Amino acid sequence: MVAIPTETVYGLAGWIFSEAGLNNIFSVKERPFFDPLIVHVDSLKRARELALEWTVVHDILATHCWPGPLTLIAKKHSKINPLITAGLESVALRCPNHPQTLKLLASIEGGLAAPSANKFGKTSPTTSFHVAEEFHNDVPILEGGECSIGIESTVVGITLLKNEYLVEIYRPGYFTARMISQILEENQIKASVQYAQSPVAPGQLQHHYMPRIPLVIVPENFNWDKDRLKVESALKKTFSQPKIWEQPKNAHLASRELYSRLRQFDQEGYDIILTAKLPTHSAEEWLGIWNRLHKAQSLTVEKDPAS
Ligand code: TXA
Ligand code: MG
């Protein structure tokens, strides 16, 4: 087992053909076995070898987006250990865009199964320092600098319907539905690309990515001095060190910083984090960020109907 850098977040990796390595990931992460892992490969060719079925949509998306922050679900080959897939008939495959990890992947057979390198349900790591802290220096780490994307890959499921493909996004990330539609359109593929309504992917739990201090989502005009009672009565606690967290204007910058800020505010001695959802955040490139913030929050304060 080794922690590996990727462009999204650090992963806690084990060789897909080592049952001991795979078991180790679940125990170190304290992750339940019903939550399947992503298999990381160095190429499209390797991905195909681990899938039983590989459609033209898999091929086009992998060709355009790999190495990169896109995970493709495919029917699994029998050589994939059921521990990786939580007993599902499908496997999640991704070729990460990071030079050291690609080199490591090329030097082994098959690939590396890796969830994010954090304790189950906690904030994902975007530096080797975060990983070391999370596991108290118990895990060897392949140093690879800071992750450039900062939130986990877009996870996509692909189904062939009567005369078109259904491409469902189970977890939003850097690649948006619009970007995926455009790639398929340019390649003359008839497909409907949509965000999955219900969390069909196991592991898509409501509470996830949580920092140690509460994160509260507030309306744009929220004023701590005036409105703090709403928060304190809902959380049944008083707070003395609030951090008013303004998101960077640019979504890609915001996603790069997201997890390290959540860790940083806690360490700086704040006891609560407040961040506002702005009208500009309804643009599609913010979906991944707000998906994580909603899961990491302890409370959302709704806008006052009177104001
Ligand atoms: O960017 C990423 O994807 C990072 C880096 C390390 O590659 N990995 C990551 O792994 O986020 P993890 O375990 O934290 O998230 C894996 C996600 C889960 O939400 C799980 O539901 C989904 O992938 N997944 C895995 N196998 C699946 C399957 N067969 N069908 C549907 N979803 C699956
Ligand atoms: Mg994770």
Side-chain angles (χ1 to χ4, degrees):
M1 190 178 60
V2 60
I4 53 166
T6 81
E7 78 284 34
T8 58
V9 301
Y10 274 74
L12 190 61
W15 188 36
I16 56 169
F17 299 129
S18 161
E19 187 144 321
L22 297 173
N23 272 314
N24 231 341
I25 296 172
F26 287 93
S27 74
V28 167
K29 239 189 103 92
E30 297 165 18
R31 182 176 174 113
F33 286 105
F34 62 73
D35 201 2
L37 310 176
I38 295 176
V39 172
H40 297 71
V41 290
D42 77 332
S43 59
L44 173 64
K45 180 173 167 283
R46 290 268 187 97
R48 289 188 78 141
E49 287 165 6
L50 299 172
L52 199 60
E53 247 178 57
W54 193 257
T55 69
V56 61
V57 172
H58 287 88
D59 226 49
I60 289 170
L61 292 181
T63 305
H64 280 75
C65 307
W66 285 359
L70 183 75
T71 295
L72 298 172
I73 312 289
K75 283 230 171 74
K76 84 173 193 77
H77 193 281
S78 57
K79 58 188 167 192
I80 294 284
N81 191 315
L83 262 179
I84 296 174
T85 60
L88 295 172
E89 282 310 304
S90 57
V91 61
L93 294 157
R94 152 167 143 79
C95 175
N97 189 12
H98 196 289
Q100 274 105 305
T101 293
L102 283 173
K103 213 164 148 187
L104 174 61
L105 288 169
S107 73
I108 59 164
E109 232 183 281
L112 291 170
S116 51
N118 50 277
K119 292 263 164 110
F120 185 68
K122 299 294 182 225
T123 309
S124 308
T126 53
T127 66
S128 59
F129 184 76
H130 296 158
V131 181
E133 191 181 54
E134 187 87 7
F135 300 114
H136 312 291
N137 297 310
D138 274 352
V139 172
I141 305 172
L142 180 61
E143 173 60 60
E146 192 182 345
C147 303
S148 59
I149 301 282
I151 61 169
E152 299 83 350
S153 59
T154 305
V155 177
V156 161
I158 296 153
T159 321
L160 177 57
L161 301 179
K162 264 198 190 115
N163 54 7
E164 68 164 24
Y165 284 92
L166 172 65
V167 178
E168 281 183 293
I169 300 182
Y170 298 144
R171 180 175 69 184
Y174 173 85
F175 283 108
T176 61
R178 192 181 305 132
M179 289 158 86
I180 292 170
S181 294
Q182 198 176 343
I183 293 168
L184 295 176
E185 232 174 86
E186 281 165 4
N187 286 274
Q188 284 88 43
I189 298 292
K190 264 185 90 178
S192 145
V193 183
Q194 46 189 256
Y195 292 95
Q197 290 307 315
S198 60
V200 275
Q204 295 288 303
L205 302 177
Q206 192 49 46
H207 290 290
H208 216 132
Y209 316 111
M210 289 186 94
R212 275 183 300 189
I213 53 175
L215 167 70
V216 179
I217 298 173
V218 295
E220 196 181 359
N221 59 356
F222 186 88
N223 178 312
W224 177 252
D225 295 322
K226 200 163 102 302
D227 300 325
R228 63 188 294 170
L229 257 177
K230 283 184 197 164
V231 172
E232 294 184 331
S233 63
L235 295 177
K236 298 188 178 63
K237 214 175 152 188
T238 57
F239 298 95
S240 56
Q241 300 291 334
K243 170 68 197 180
I244 313 293
W245 180 21
E246 267 186 54
Q247 300 294 327
K249 291 216 163 37
N250 178 289
H252 293 147
L253 193 58
S255 96
R256 183 180 306 163
E257 293 185 0
L258 187 77
Y259 293 134
S260 54
R261 289 282 185 251
L262 284 174
R263 286 169 186 266
Q264 176 195 332
F265 299 145
D266 175 8
Q267 284 167 354
E268 285 174 349
Y270 295 106
D271 58 2
I272 188 163
I273 309 167
L274 302 131
T275 197
K277 187 158 186 177
L278 306 180
T280 49
H281 294 173
S282 50
E284 204 187 358
E285 67 263 28
W286 283 88
L287 260 180
I289 297 164
W290 279 97
N291 167 272
R292 308 312 191 274
L293 287 172
H294 278 295
K295 290 185 182 183
Q297 62 150 353
S298 297
L299 175 71
T300 292
V301 177
E302 299 299 340
K303 197 173 159 202
D304 220 333
S307 66

